[in-house]
Amino acid sequence: MATRLGTWTADGPADAGRVRHAAAVDVLVGLLGGVMLWPFPLLRLTLGIPLPIHIAMMMAFMGVFCAAASAVAVVLWGRTVGQYLFDLGLESPHRPIGWLTAAAWGCGHAIDVVAGVFGVSAALDGHRGAAAAFSGLGTVAARGETDAQ
């Protein structure tokens, strides 16, 4: 049985502002998961190293976790949680989206978020960023199953 999160249809081009807001939500979801996972097994392994190195390792882990969480959501639902909240989705000729394509999109999405933090406005527009270039998936406006009826 398909859920509303995974059941949607493309409904035109995506607004760049909504794409940026969805990316911020995706980062917050990934950071929340990463913060919950880091302390228990990984903090014990890194107790003996200097604090700046520990912080750098933690930030790298958060980036990898954000990319992985986004890729899993793309495989399961064809969009991330942030895209669901802002009525967006990933345009693909094949649904469900495969693992390699989703992993490429997740890695590109992480690169786009970092570029967006540093002010590159084209990174988070949905069609010109690294995520779209790596995977071929463009971000589009979505209409959920309740809107389509």
Side-chain angles (χ1 to χ4, degrees):
M1 176 175 208
T3 64
R4 186 174 181 273
L5 183 64
T7 305
W8 59 274
T9 57
D11 192 32
D15 179 46
R18 289 190 343 198
V19 173
R20 285 191 290 273
H21 289 103
V25 170
D26 293 338
V27 168
L28 290 176
V29 167
L31 288 178
L32 179 64
V35 165
M36 292 176 75
L37 288 176
W38 181 261
F40 302 109
L42 301 172
L43 182 63
R44 290 186 194 143
L45 294 172
T46 60
L47 283 176
I49 62 174
L51 186 61
I53 295 173
H54 174 81
I55 291 172
M57 289 175 60
M58 185 174 67
M59 295 304 291
F61 175 77
M62 299 290 180
V64 169
F65 186 82
C66 286
S70 294
V72 168
V74 167
V75 167
L76 294 177
W77 303 305
R79 59 182 172 174
T80 64
V81 175
Q83 290 173 340
Y84 166 71
L85 292 175
F86 288 95
D87 294 326
L88 300 170
L90 294 175
E91 185 176 37
S92 172
H94 307 291
R95 277 180 58 192
I97 297 170
W99 283 101
L100 290 176
T101 304
W105 188 87
C107 291
H109 188 57
I111 292 169
D112 286 341
V113 167
V114 171
V117 167
F118 288 111
V120 179
S121 61
L124 289 171
D125 80 343
H127 288 284
R128 294 187 297 169
F134 289 177
S135 65
L137 302 174
T139 305
V140 294
R143 184 176 24 170
E145 91 178 356
T146 57
D147 298 333
Q149 294 179 352

